Amino acid sequence: MKTKILSLVALFLTTFAINAQIDRSKMPEPGPDPVVKLGKPVKFTLDNGLKVIMVENHKLPRISANLTIDNKPYFEGEIAGVSGMMGSLLGRGTTNITKDEFNEKVDFYGANVSFFSSGAFASSLTKYFPEILGLMADGVKNSQFTQEEFDKEVNITLDGLKSNEKNVTSTARRVENVLTYGRNHPFGEFTSKESVGRITLKDVVNNYNTYYKPNNAYLVIEGDINPKEAKKLVTSLFADWQKGVIPAYTIPPTKNVATTEIDFINMDNAVQSEIAIINNVDLTLGDKDYYAALMASNILGGGGTARLFMNLREDKGYTYGSYSSLRQDRYAGSFRATASVRNMVTDSSVVELQKEINKMRYKKVSSEELANSKEEYIGGFVMDVQKPRTIANYALNIERYNLPEDFYENYIKNINAVTLDDVQNAAIKYFKGNKARIVITGKGIDVLKNLEKTDYVINYFDKEGNPTEKPAMTLPIPEGMTAANVVDNYVDAIGGKDKVMAVKSVMMISNATIQGTPLVMTMKSATPNKTSMVISVMGNAMQKIIFDGEKGYQEARGQKMDMKPEEIEEAKKTMAPFADMAYKNGTLDRIEPIDGENFYVIVTDKKEIFYNVKTGLKAKEVETAKMPDGTEVQVPTTFSDYKAVNGIMFPHSVVMKSGPMDLNFEVKEIKINEGVTDADFK
């Protein structure tokens, strides 16, 4: 025991002496860059043209196979979406096995097999790999396309398109591609309800027979393999896959605009603007200035420490994040700088984005920025090359892009060779701030007035990228129509004044889910102007807001805080149980068209309330709230699915937007004149 104690003391003294010699005021000298030696993959080609790449790794008893069909992009035209539908139907039963039997086998082996229009993927434990690769090969070569499965996929596709009809981000990406590449370009076309309606089962089968061929394909196998045995297995499974002649297709050229312009897509339901500054580039993996272009894009908008993020989020507080990307592609590359911003700062965000893009072009980045960017890329690269799948992907890139065999072994050296001049020259070449499309998808009535003050020409497009007219901002308010009239119409629409005035209390219980966690919101209100809201998680009250008509408090996580005088005054303006009665004192600001319907908009304090002109029902409230840092954000709440309770119409679907998330509350129970007592407001 004494010997052990003495050994520990000696170790402590030795460690102390070493640490005492270290001068911690100086930054440690960086060590030499690691030398990357990628293992040589085993390659061979079958007679049908299928190129096979195998990478050994025996750390885990697993093997994966990734099939890539490397066809040149082609234009699908009137049946846009046919290749995606074909990919979805692959593997749903073959000439040798039913769909259910196929899935049961995959599940039994604890494996993964998936198919898509440009290939397939399979992975499993080593001992099951021959069976799993056999299933993948069977799906690749012998898939059956039945009318039943086709009809199911059509319905799934149409449902997906319908759910995205009012999605601002989806609309933005769709139109951005149309404008960037052109409507007749493979990268610019998109799947629509009309194109899906024209696709037949025969079209799907024809697409498979024409384009799903081995002579333009690579099969990458990685993991715990014996190359000789794997070669025999691949040959036995894929040698009979019939090659074919892929139709020739000439991809239309892309071009940038002569002068920077704003291309605006109006979305009346947008609570923020999607901004993308885009230009086409000619950049391919392995180009001479590829590494300098990587550094330039990373410094501009590669992450949380890049210039765009630091400006638009950290400095200005316009957005949750702003980024840029430089897409290399053998056929049509692009540069993009993006941000999703509050409506009221859309024009300012455009100015800041353009400022940062042009600064990269006209002024060299700092030595520190370049050094940090190099370290980030080299660090990520060194971490990635430890992964066998990365090595396999690198081997595939060398084949697909016809790169030198030592391309990735020289990667670090080439990154380190980038100079400040190289970065600026790449920015000048690839960031066309003077010949870019500034594509903005947002709510015209909120943002166009200020955008029109900029120096850019504004062009208008619909949700499918077709040129259109400037959206109507407002409609004339009928003479004599007031906020009080609008609220009276609302009262009539929900059941009439007599029924509404007979309501003395309302209890409403709603359910929602946030990040997988179920919430229950219980709201109670009573005359005169008493309100209670309790949000519970797993049966525990997480938040309360109580107001008894004269005073109130908030309670969250056990912390109780009395309402401030200004909050009490604000609460007193609410006329519970029907808050809309207070809106009679607001101002009827405008009639706003939204998605083909017109809405009266009443403005009161920092809130806008939207009532459907035709039905009289309330559709939305948008409140301007001040964040802790002083910035103002718009918080929308939408109301739909009105149902009668005791003869009065209540919305049973309430969607509250909280930052980047939506809280979808479904009303489960409403009680009128019961279930509420004075104790609820204590």
Side-chain angles (χ1 to χ4, degrees):
M1 184 67 182
K2 182 177 180 180
T3 303
K4 186 174 183 180
I5 293 172
L6 290 174
S7 298
L8 291 172
V9 171
L11 178 61
F12 170 76
L13 292 174
T14 302
T15 305
F16 182 81
I18 293 172
N19 289 338
Q21 298 174 32
I22 299 174
D23 184 355
R24 298 191 182 279
S25 65
K26 294 182 179 179
M27 180 76 72
E29 291 293 327
D33 289 322
V35 177
V36 175
K37 289 292 183 182
L38 299 177
K40 296 296 182 183
V42 177
K43 304 177 184 179
F44 65 94
T45 303
L46 297 180
D47 291 342
N48 59 12
L50 178 65
K51 299 177 180 66
V52 184
I53 301 170
M54 299 188 293
V55 177
E56 278 188 88
N57 182 270
H58 302 288
K59 291 182 179 180
L60 294 172
R62 295 195 65 84
I63 306 176
S64 67
N66 188 28
L67 175 70
T68 299
I69 297 181
D70 194 30
N71 289 335
K72 190 176 183 180
Y74 55 92
F75 185 65
E76 296 178 356
E78 291 189 347
I79 54 172
V82 65
S83 62
M85 192 168 293
M86 181 273 291
S88 297
L89 291 172
L90 279 170
R92 297 191 189 180
T94 73
T95 54
N96 301 308
I97 189 172
T98 67
K99 171 187 171 182
D100 291 339
E101 290 172 336
F102 187 100
N103 293 333
E104 285 172 6
K105 280 197 172 187
V106 173
D107 291 341
F108 176 77
Y109 289 122
N112 178 19
V113 180
S114 55
F115 301 90
F116 30 92
S117 62
S118 59
F121 177 80
S123 67
S124 73
L125 292 174
T126 303
K127 60 182 178 180
Y128 301 137
F129 186 68
E131 289 84 356
I132 292 304
L133 188 64
L135 288 172
M136 185 181 99
D138 191 26
V140 165
K141 297 182 300 180
N142 305 312
S143 276
Q144 284 191 311
F145 301 92
T146 66
Q147 189 67 46
E148 180 184 4
E149 292 296 329
F150 172 77
D151 291 341
K152 288 180 183 177
E153 190 59 32
V154 167
N155 290 331
I156 291 171
T157 303
L158 291 175
D159 286 344
L161 292 172
K162 185 176 181 179
S163 67
N164 275 328
E165 281 181 352
K166 295 185 179 181
N167 187 295
V168 178
T169 302
S170 296
T171 300
R173 298 296 94 84
R174 176 171 64 243
V175 181
E176 287 165 13
N177 288 338
V178 171
L179 299 179
T180 301
Y181 301 107
R183 187 175 298 279
N184 296 321
H185 192 285
F187 295 166
E189 68 175 344
F190 57 88
T191 305
S192 67
K193 290 186 294 185
E194 291 74 20
S195 68
V196 171
R198 288 189 286 263
I199 297 173
T200 65
L201 178 60
K202 183 178 179 181
D203 293 325
V204 171
V205 174
N206 181 61
N207 185 272
Y208 168 77
N209 290 331
T210 303
Y211 294 102
Y212 212 83
K213 295 296 180 182
N215 39 301
N216 272 349
Y218 297 89
L219 179 63
V220 179
I221 299 179
E222 169 268 313
D224 184 27
I225 60 171
N226 178 308
K228 289 184 179 180
E229 293 179 1
K231 183 176 181 179
K232 290 180 181 178
L233 178 64
V234 169
T235 303
S236 67
L237 293 174
F238 289 93
D240 61 345
W241 186 10
Q242 297 298 308
K243 64 181 179 181
V245 178
I246 309 299
Y249 175 73
T250 301
I251 299 177
T254 59
K255 61 180 181 179
N256 292 311
V257 291
T259 305
T260 297
E261 64 186 33
I262 291 177
D263 295 334
F264 189 82
I265 304 98
N266 185 55
M267 292 284 285
D268 293 314
N269 62 311
V271 296
Q272 60 183 13
S273 297
E274 295 285 336
I275 304 174
I277 299 179
I278 311 173
N279 61 259
N280 304 102
V281 301
D282 182 9
L283 177 67
T284 305
L285 182 65
D287 285 353
K288 183 179 179 181
D289 54 3
Y290 172 73
Y291 304 97
L294 282 184
M295 296 300 100
S297 181
N298 193 47
I299 291 169
L300 174 63
T305 59
R307 291 183 174 186
L308 292 179
F309 195 97
M310 295 301 292
N311 181 335
L312 275 80
R313 171 169 173 153
E314 299 299 323
D315 183 33
K316 303 296 190 305
Y318 291 165
T319 177
Y320 287 101
S322 180
Y323 307 93
S324 68
S325 62
L326 193 57
R327 172 187 170 181
Q328 68 81 23
D329 192 277
R330 288 172 293 172
Y331 308 108
S334 62
F335 164 75
R336 292 166 49 90
T338 62
S340 301
V341 305
R342 306 191 315 275
N343 289 348
M344 63 185 70
V345 296
T346 301
D347 57 316
S348 301
S349 298
V350 169
V351 171
E352 295 303 321
L353 283 163
Q354 280 287 70
K355 183 181 78 174
E356 295 296 345
I357 292 170
N358 288 320
K359 190 191 297 183
M360 291 287 298
R361 290 163 52 85
Y362 301 127
K363 185 178 180 180
K364 293 179 184 178
V365 302
S366 69
S367 299
E368 181 181 6
E369 285 178 306
L370 180 55
N372 289 341
S373 186
K374 288 180 178 180
E375 288 300 317
E376 182 181 341
Y377 263 90
I378 291 172
F381 176 75
V382 171
M383 292 293 290
D384 281 343
V385 294
Q386 311 301 316
K387 306 170 186 175
R389 186 163 295 178
T390 299
I391 298 173
N393 289 336
Y394 286 169
L396 177 60
N397 284 343
I398 288 171
E399 290 289 330
R400 293 179 67 198
Y401 290 87
N402 195 27
L403 300 171
E405 289 293 329
D406 61 355
F407 178 81
Y408 287 102
E409 292 179 1
N410 291 325
Y411 191 88
I412 294 176
K413 182 181 72 175
N414 289 327
I415 288 288
N416 278 329
V418 174
T419 67
L420 298 176
D421 286 332
D422 293 336
V423 173
Q424 184 178 21
N425 290 335
I428 292 171
K429 181 177 180 180
Y430 296 115
F431 304 168
K432 301 294 185 183
N434 59 332
K435 295 182 179 180
R437 292 177 174 87
I438 304 174
V439 185
I440 301 174
T441 307
K443 188 174 181 178
I445 197 169
D446 287 349
V447 305
L448 278 176
K449 185 176 181 180
N450 286 331
L451 287 175
E452 288 171 343
K453 296 177 183 177
T454 66
D455 295 330
Y456 303 114
V457 172
I458 302 178
N459 301 313
Y460 301 97
F461 298 88
D462 65 18
K463 297 176 185 179
E464 294 188 345
N466 301 304
T468 187
E469 299 296 324
K470 177 181 176 180
M473 295 293 97
T474 59
L475 299 173
I477 298 173
E479 186 176 353
M481 196 67 178
T482 65
N485 299 143
V486 172
V487 174
D488 287 340
N489 290 343
Y490 165 74
V491 171
D492 290 338
I494 63 174
K497 184 177 180 180
D498 291 342
K499 289 183 179 179
V500 168
M501 296 305 294
V503 175
K504 303 304 178 185
S505 70
V506 175
M507 182 186 75
M508 184 181 300
I509 300 176
S510 309
N511 293 348
T513 301
I514 180 169
Q515 296 181 340
T517 302
L519 306 178
V520 177
M521 181 171 67
T522 302
M523 299 185 68
K524 297 182 179 182
S525 56
T527 57
N529 205 20
K530 298 177 182 180
T531 57
S532 164
M533 182 188 76
V534 179
I535 295 180
S536 302
V537 178
M538 306 296 287
N540 298 313
M542 301 298 293
Q543 185 176 10
K544 291 182 180 181
I545 302 177
I546 307 295
F547 183 67
D548 66 4
E550 296 295 332
K551 60 184 183 303
Y553 65 90
Q554 299 185 38
E555 186 176 317
R557 297 179 181 178
Q559 300 294 317
K560 184 177 179 180
M561 183 180 298
D562 290 333
M563 285 185 175
K564 298 175 182 178
E566 59 270 23
E567 293 172 333
I568 291 175
E569 289 304 312
E570 186 68 26
K572 285 182 176 181
K573 294 178 182 178
T574 302
M575 299 179 67
F578 289 97
D580 296 81
M581 296 302 186
Y583 303 153
K584 285 189 173 186
N585 299 321
T587 301
L588 181 54
D589 184 70
R590 62 188 184 273
I591 298 178
E592 183 174 328
I594 300 177
D595 292 332
E597 295 188 272
N598 297 327
F599 295 83
Y600 290 118
V601 183
I602 294 176
V603 176
T604 174
D605 294 326
K606 292 189 175 183
K607 183 183 291 186
E608 291 186 334
I609 308 93
F610 293 70
Y611 295 90
N612 190 297
V613 171
K614 184 177 181 180
T615 67
L617 296 174
K618 180 169 62 177
K620 180 169 63 172
E621 293 184 356
V622 180
E623 187 167 5
T624 301
K626 185 168 287 188
M627 304 300 287
D629 61 0
T631 59
E632 291 188 337
V633 297
Q634 289 184 320
V635 183
T637 302
T638 58
F639 307 91
S640 60
D641 191 22
Y642 277 82
K643 298 177 183 177
V645 178
N646 293 1
I648 299 177
M649 301 291 285
F650 286 90
H652 280 63
S653 176
V654 180
V655 180
M656 302 178 181
K657 191 163 187 67
S658 177
M661 297 182 296
D662 288 341
L663 285 175
N664 296 279
F665 283 97
E666 296 297 326
V667 178
K668 298 301 180 182
E669 183 180 9
I670 296 177
K671 290 185 177 181
I672 296 176
N673 295 337
E674 61 175 312
V676 179
T677 68
D678 288 341
D680 294 315
F681 309 105
K682 298 295 184 183

